[in-house]
Amino acid sequence: MVFRKPPDGGWGWVIVVVSFFTQFLCYGSPLAVGVLYLEWLDAFGEGKGKTAWVGSLANGIGLLASPVCSICVSSFGARPVAIFSGFMVAGGLMMSSFAPNIYFLYISYGIVVGLGCGLLYTATVTITCQYFDKRRGLALGLISTGSSVGLFIYAALQRELIELYGLDGCLLIVGALSLNILACGSLMRPLGSSSSPPPEKMFVDKVPDQYFVYHEKEKTVEENISILEKGYIDEKCVNNVPDCKQDSVLNKNVLSSINVNEKDTYKKKVVEQTNFCKQLAKRKWQLYLTYWKETMVLFKNKVFSALFVAILLFDIGGFPPSLLMEDVARSANISEDDYYMPLISIIGIMTTVGKLILGILADFKWVNTLYLYVMTLLMTGVALFAIPFAKSYLTLAMLSGILGFLTGNWSIFPYVTTKTVGIEKLTHAYGILMFFAGLGNSLGPPIVGWFYDWTQEYDTAFYFSGLCVLLGGFLLLLAALPCWNACTNQSSKLPPNTYSYKVASNA
């Protein structure tokens, strides 16, 4: 399929709008799952660690399955995947309203909704990249704010729906709202491709049937030759009946001399096809070996190795506040009358602001994006250490805003990855890093919940979270300091096409 040149506008802006609302509708509830988390604790009476698995799976499973999501979008297209995933998200939310226990929620909310969100994220990013080239950064930035706006609105919406209709009614209504993803998906029109059939198919349609005798695998060489012989004799008998017997005798003599050539031709084709299959299998194996070799080369890069540890530790420690902050406020005995806005909503709106501001800062030439990313990690660790000392709504709201703003460093993470491994290795490296990010998202909230179940307070849990993030930030800083200057000094000596990767390898 050959796509037209990206228009950088036109229907592309419709794609941006529907992709924004798609991420808004699918990620709103999973990101604001902290509101539901409190209700599930009361409804099922399970431990905080076990209950936290629901939200962590919903947010982490999409990242863990990102390779599968990419294959689905590449094979079927963005529009079919978006429509199918819309049914998954809506169905998973509605099924969760009938959950008899926490284990049912692991499947319905954690896996079904989480996988649907992962598919929708891949579909929206893919089709947006197809429609935009020069304005791709702006388009991706606009659609990425959909999830943050969804977190801001859904936190308050789910809280209000629970008060009016209960937990089950809230999930049913939110699931029904998610059905609007189907309308958004239907508008994801493919950019366009050539409608003419492939040249190979046109040529195959014109080939006479008798030339396909060698492709019938169930027939032996002798059977194929007998078919040729019978067809030739029958044709002569129909056209000239008196000469049928005479021609048949002559044809047998002629075909007997042809049989050797026919057999040789058939054997030659079999040998050619066998060699082709062997070469194809060998090529596939070489591709797998090349993939693992490139992966090993990436991990020889000190900065990349530190980056994958940093993103894993950051998601283990930095993601739990968005899920558990409401329960932290309840554990601190903060009255609901003091609530001006849900803490998760504050995190959501500040994440949007952080994505925009940090993304703008990363575009300045005098800003080193790696150091900027390290700074956000270190500040996040300090903010996590401060949570146990917050005993009022105002202090928790301030910390929620700071954490939300710093979580916006997701917008500069692709810049950091590109600086580390180079544009040639970006796709490979980013897929690996996203897998570890999903692993951190899945493990973080349950670990913090288990700390609470063990100590019956959140102080130790957030000390652990802050320590994880600080450790990741310091490791990345130590790995970056000696090599970053070397990269700058050697940049003029390296070929432009291999600059980033060679520098990263030397690091």
Side-chain angles (χ1 to χ4, degrees):
M1 183 177 292
V2 180
F3 291 101
R4 297 199 310 264
K5 183 180 178 181
D8 279 302
W11 190 259
W13 295 117
V14 178
I15 297 296
V16 169
V17 172
V18 298
S19 296
F20 172 89
F21 281 106
T22 297
Q23 292 201 17
F24 171 85
L25 292 167
C26 74
Y27 275 106
S29 181
L31 289 178
V33 72
V35 177
L36 304 176
Y37 172 76
L38 298 177
E39 302 300 323
W40 287 331
L41 283 174
D42 298 335
F44 300 115
E46 300 286 352
K48 294 181 185 292
K50 186 181 292 187
T51 308
W53 270 111
V54 181
S56 62
L57 283 174
N59 287 278
I61 199 70
L63 293 174
L64 289 172
S66 55
V68 178
C69 298
S70 299
I71 292 173
C72 291
V73 175
S74 300
S75 302
F76 304 104
R79 179 158 59 182
V81 169
I83 293 174
F84 175 76
S85 303
F87 281 112
M88 287 186 65
V89 173
L93 289 170
M94 292 180 180
M95 288 168 55
S96 299
S97 65
F98 303 100
N101 51 55
I102 198 70
Y103 303 102
F104 187 90
L105 286 173
Y106 291 163
I107 305 298
S108 61
Y109 198 99
I111 296 179
V112 176
V113 175
L115 186 58
C117 291
L119 288 168
L120 286 168
Y121 176 81
T122 305
T124 53
V125 170
T126 300
I127 195 166
T128 302
C129 290
Q130 291 175 0
Y131 270 87
F132 288 89
D133 184 15
K134 296 179 181 179
R135 300 177 179 176
R136 184 175 296 170
L138 173 62
L140 291 175
L142 290 174
I143 69 171
S144 68
T145 58
S147 58
S148 301
V149 176
L151 169 59
F152 170 69
I153 294 179
Y154 268 75
L157 176 64
Q158 291 183 147
R159 190 185 186 93
E160 189 67 23
L161 289 175
I162 289 172
E163 293 180 359
L164 294 176
Y165 305 104
L167 177 61
D168 298 342
C170 170
L171 289 170
L172 283 174
I173 294 173
V174 171
L177 287 175
S178 299
L179 289 173
N180 288 287
I181 296 174
L182 305 181
C184 296
S186 64
L187 294 174
M188 293 182 184
R189 187 175 64 194
L191 179 58
S193 60
S194 178
S195 58
S196 58
E200 294 83 357
K201 186 173 182 180
M202 294 174 61
F203 289 133
V204 168
D205 292 340
K206 296 180 181 180
V207 177
D209 293 339
Q210 61 264 29
Y211 291 101
F212 285 99
V213 67
Y214 299 106
H215 296 281
E216 299 181 13
K217 297 181 180 179
E218 288 125 7
K219 294 181 175 65
T220 62
V221 178
E222 290 76 10
E223 289 174 337
N224 287 328
I225 295 173
S226 64
I227 292 172
L228 287 173
E229 180 179 348
K230 184 177 182 300
Y232 182 81
I233 295 173
D234 291 344
E235 184 178 358
K236 294 293 291 183
C237 290
V238 171
N239 295 334
N240 194 355
V241 177
D243 296 334
C244 180
K245 293 182 179 181
Q246 181 179 0
D247 287 344
S248 63
V249 176
L250 294 173
N251 289 335
K252 287 181 180 179
N253 295 331
V254 174
L255 286 174
S256 63
S257 63
I258 296 176
N259 283 348
V260 178
N261 293 332
E262 294 289 349
K263 291 180 181 179
D264 292 342
T265 304
Y266 182 81
K267 290 180 180 179
K268 184 178 179 181
K269 288 182 178 291
V270 172
V271 172
E272 289 177 354
Q273 291 180 359
T274 303
N275 290 334
F276 173 76
C277 292
K278 289 181 180 179
Q279 291 296 327
L280 182 62
K282 184 177 180 180
R283 184 179 179 184
K284 290 289 185 182
W285 179 248
Q286 290 296 330
L287 289 175
Y288 289 130
L289 290 178
T290 302
Y291 176 84
W292 288 111
K293 287 179 181 178
E294 290 178 351
T295 302
M296 293 299 103
V297 170
L298 286 175
F299 279 100
K300 290 180 180 178
N301 182 346
K302 294 179 182 179
V303 180
F304 179 81
S305 298
L307 188 61
F308 107 84
V309 174
I311 191 66
L312 175 64
L313 294 177
F314 172 72
D315 280 279
I316 289 177
F319 176 67
S322 63
L323 175 62
L324 304 174
M325 193 60 80
E326 297 293 331
D327 193 46
V328 171
R330 187 168 71 171
S331 300
N333 297 320
I334 296 176
S335 174
E336 293 186 0
D337 297 335
D338 297 334
Y339 268 67
Y340 301 101
M341 183 185 297
L343 296 175
I344 299 179
S345 295
I346 297 175
I347 293 176
I349 195 64
M350 290 305 297
T351 300
T352 305
V353 175
K355 286 180 179 179
L356 294 175
I357 294 179
L358 292 174
I360 293 172
L361 287 176
D363 286 333
F364 289 110
K365 294 182 179 180
W366 51 270
V367 174
N368 189 309
T369 52
L370 181 59
Y371 289 153
L372 179 62
Y373 185 75
V374 170
M375 185 180 68
T376 61
L377 295 184
L378 298 178
M379 292 178 66
T380 300
V382 173
L384 289 170
F385 271 113
I387 289 179
F389 300 98
K391 301 300 180 183
S392 66
Y393 173 81
L394 180 60
T395 54
L396 283 176
M398 293 175 61
L399 288 174
S400 297
I402 294 172
L403 288 171
F405 179 86
L406 296 173
T407 305
N409 62 7
W410 276 100
S411 63
I412 64 173
F413 191 71
Y415 287 83
V416 176
T417 309
T418 305
K419 282 284 188 180
T420 303
V421 301
I423 191 66
E424 297 87 357
K425 301 291 182 181
L426 175 60
T427 303
H428 188 180
Y430 199 73
I432 296 173
L433 293 173
M434 287 300 99
F435 176 85
F436 285 104
L439 186 62
N441 274 347
S442 300
L443 295 178
I447 291 175
V448 173
W450 289 331
F451 268 107
Y452 184 92
D453 294 336
W454 179 36
T455 61
Q456 294 302 309
E457 43 87 17
Y458 274 117
D459 294 355
T460 306
F462 282 104
Y463 290 148
F464 169 79
S465 297
L467 181 62
C468 286
V469 179
L470 284 176
L471 179 61
F474 278 120
L475 285 176
L476 184 57
L477 180 62
L478 290 176
L481 278 176
C483 69
W484 209 251
N485 292 331
C487 293
T488 305
N489 295 333
Q490 297 177 13
S491 60
S492 59
K493 301 179 182 179
L494 295 171
N497 294 334
T498 58
Y499 159 68
S500 297
Y501 181 64
K502 287 190 175 181
V503 171
S505 299
N506 293 334

